Amino acid sequence: GHSMGGHGTWQFGTLFPGRFATLGPSAGWGSFYSYTGRARPRGAFARSQASSDTPAYLANLARRGVYAIHGTADDNVPLREGRTMTAAARMHTSAVELYEEPGAGHWWDRPDTPGADSVDWPALFASMRARRLDPTETDFRFVTPTPAVSPRHSFVTVRSAADPLLDVSVTSARTGDAVALTTTNARSLTLDGAALRARGVRSLTVDGRAVE
């Protein structure tokens, strides 16, 4: 995605990490607060807009890849947005690259190559082809602002939060044929037992309690 779509790429990639192996934001920005300088809302208004505060959910990108693109002379979305977001993503995954096109503005196209290079960038697609996603991974930490927006990851679906004004987190750790889930602020979950059995999992605990 480019520009607003670049923000959308960051947003969807972090909220739905079980669907994307690689993110490709071009001239993307992190949040309304970093991009526009708008003050953060509080209370219920803050929670209703939490899903667009992408930097808060970058931990979901563990084992995912990011290839970001930005022009150094972008006068619409400042280069600092691309640099800040990729630097923050590197705290959670090492597979992060930022390509900066020297002297390029918001939308740019080299005359000697086909396509619009600010989005049709060969190295981005090479990065995508090089990565694969495990749709039922059993070692992860997933954080969602609300199950109304992003409820599912791997074999876990978050149905409701104990406190709707707080994030919900689910951590899964596998040892041998056993999986242990640890949750924070999760009121109810649905677990895909068939998916776990297909991965050779034979026992499961949730917050220390054995689940059939």
Side-chain angles (χ1 to χ4, degrees), residues 136 138 152-157 174 177 179 181 189-206 211-212:
T136 53
T138 50
R152 182 181 176 88
H153 184 73
S154 186
F155 61 92
V156 178
T157 300
R174 179 170 183 170
D177 62 359
V179 165
L181 285 185
L189 307 172
T190 297
L191 307 178
D192 188 343
L196 287 174
R197 288 193 298 272
R199 296 297 301 269
V201 174
R202 299 184 181 279
S203 65
L204 174 69
T205 60
V206 178
V211 176
E212 186 175 349

Side-chain angles (χ1 to χ4, degrees), residues 13 22 42 49 53 102 113 128 193:
T22 306
R42 297 181 178 179
Q49 300 174 41
D53 192 5
T113 57
M128 289 181 171

Side-chain angles (χ1 to χ4, degrees), residues 116-138:
D117 291 301
S118 57
V119 288
D120 296 326
W121 190 243
L124 165 61
F125 295 104
S127 176
M128 289 181 171
R129 286 191 294 269
R131 300 194 67 81
R132 292 293 182 270
L133 180 71
D134 179 0
T136 53
E137 61 182 348
T138 50

Side-chain angles (χ1 to χ4, degrees), residues 27-174:
W29 39 276
S31 72
F32 287 111
Y33 317 117
S34 64
Y35 179 40
T36 68
R38 192 179 74 182
R40 292 175 180 272
R42 297 181 178 179
F45 289 102
R47 184 49 37 178
S48 69
Q49 300 174 41
S51 63
S52 70
D53 192 5
T54 307
Y57 303 101
L58 287 174
N60 287 342
L61 295 183
R63 294 178 296 280
R64 272 72 182 159
V66 176
Y67 192 106
I69 303 167
H70 222 112
T72 63
D74 192 328
D75 60 356
N76 190 309
V77 177
L79 176 59
R80 70 165 189 271
E81 289 290 312
R83 289 178 173 176
T84 298
M85 287 298 291
T86 52
R90 287 190 183 101
M91 301 295 291
H92 306 286
T93 175
S94 60
V96 178
E97 295 184 63
L98 172 62
Y99 175 75
E100 300 179 7
E101 176 70 6
H106 189 57
W107 180 266
W108 51 275
D109 184 14
R110 289 182 175 181
D112 58 339
T113 57
D117 291 301
S118 57
V119 288
D120 296 326
W121 190 243
L124 165 61
F125 295 104
S127 176
M128 289 181 171
R129 286 191 294 269
R131 300 194 67 81
R132 292 293 182 270
L133 180 71
D134 179 0
T136 53
E137 61 182 348
T138 50
D139 287 284
F140 62 84
R141 180 173 184 265
F142 172 61
V143 183
T144 176
T146 167
V149 173
S150 55
R152 182 181 176 88
H153 184 73
S154 186
F155 61 92
V156 178
T157 300
V158 180
R159 296 183 60 87
S160 62
D163 185 341
L165 297 183
L166 298 175
D167 291 342
V168 177
S169 72
V170 180
T171 301
S172 176
R174 179 170 183 170

